[in-house]
Amino acid sequence: MEYLYHGSAVQGIESLRASSALHGTGERVVYLTDSVPYALFYIWDEKHTGFQYKHITAWLEDGLAQYEEQFAGQLAAFYQGAAGWLYRVERTPEMRPVEGREGLFSVLEDTSVADAEYIPDVYAALLEQEVQGKAKIWRFSERSPEKQ
């Protein structure tokens, strides 16, 4: 069985609701990814970060989850101490690749969750993914002076 992932700070989800707007359309979808580290970036805790909206500067390139800090310490500011769940769902033919977005899939209907893993500290989990070579964190200090 092949699985896709969805990260959330919300506990106990049994069915992911098709509530996100599909980019460029009016359709409502569930977004999923085939990348665990990419899904971790979506475990966003508004209470923890103080930011109302998700500000995710991550993408997949050649199968590698990448994250670019736009200010010094951004990764820690957004994720250190944040907790949530990594939801796993069985992949079905209805789950279509999102055009122009590597490793991202959408599905028009609510989707049952197969299981979930609690992530007690998303920051620590992301650093572990980096150590394992599954994610690349582009730190603000590594940026060229013209990009800072």
Side-chain angles (χ1 to χ4, degrees):
M1 183 63 54
E2 189 175 353
Y3 294 95
L4 296 176
Y5 304 91
H6 182 90
S8 177
V10 177
Q11 179 181 9
I13 297 174
E14 294 179 8
S15 179
L16 298 166
R17 287 189 5 242
S19 60
S20 296
L22 181 61
H23 303 291
T25 74
E27 296 177 310
R28 292 296 194 194
V29 299
V30 174
Y31 281 112
L32 302 160
T33 182
D34 58 3
S35 168
V36 168
Y38 189 65
L40 291 172
F41 289 118
Y42 285 84
I43 300 176
W44 188 269
D45 182 354
E46 292 172 11
K47 295 174 193 142
H48 173 77
T49 65
F51 292 91
Q52 183 178 1
Y53 301 102
K54 291 181 182 176
H55 182 74
I56 299 167
T57 55
W59 68 95
L60 286 166
E61 187 173 316
D62 298 326
L64 182 66
Q66 302 195 43
Y67 183 89
E68 181 179 25
E69 285 189 329
Q70 295 181 340
F71 60 86
Q74 177 181 327
L75 186 75
F78 287 175
Y79 296 104
Q80 193 167 29
W85 285 262
L86 181 65
Y87 291 98
R88 193 168 69 154
V89 301
E90 292 181 12
R91 187 169 179 180
T92 66
E94 293 79 25
M95 296 171 181
R96 304 283 183 194
V98 174
E99 186 176 335
R101 299 286 306 273
E102 180 181 329
L104 190 62
F105 299 82
S106 68
V107 61
L108 292 168
E109 61 265 352
D110 294 352
T111 304
S112 295
V113 169
D115 60 33
E117 176 186 351
Y118 178 65
I119 309 296
D121 186 331
V122 179
Y123 180 71
L126 288 167
L127 293 180
E128 180 62 28
Q129 292 290 316
E130 183 180 34
V131 167
Q132 293 175 10
K134 296 176 183 175
K136 168 61 179 153
I137 311 300
W138 297 96
R139 300 235 171 16
F140 186 78
S141 61
E142 299 170 339
R143 293 171 63 140
S144 62
E146 60 271 5
K147 284 187 104 181
Q148 291 184 11

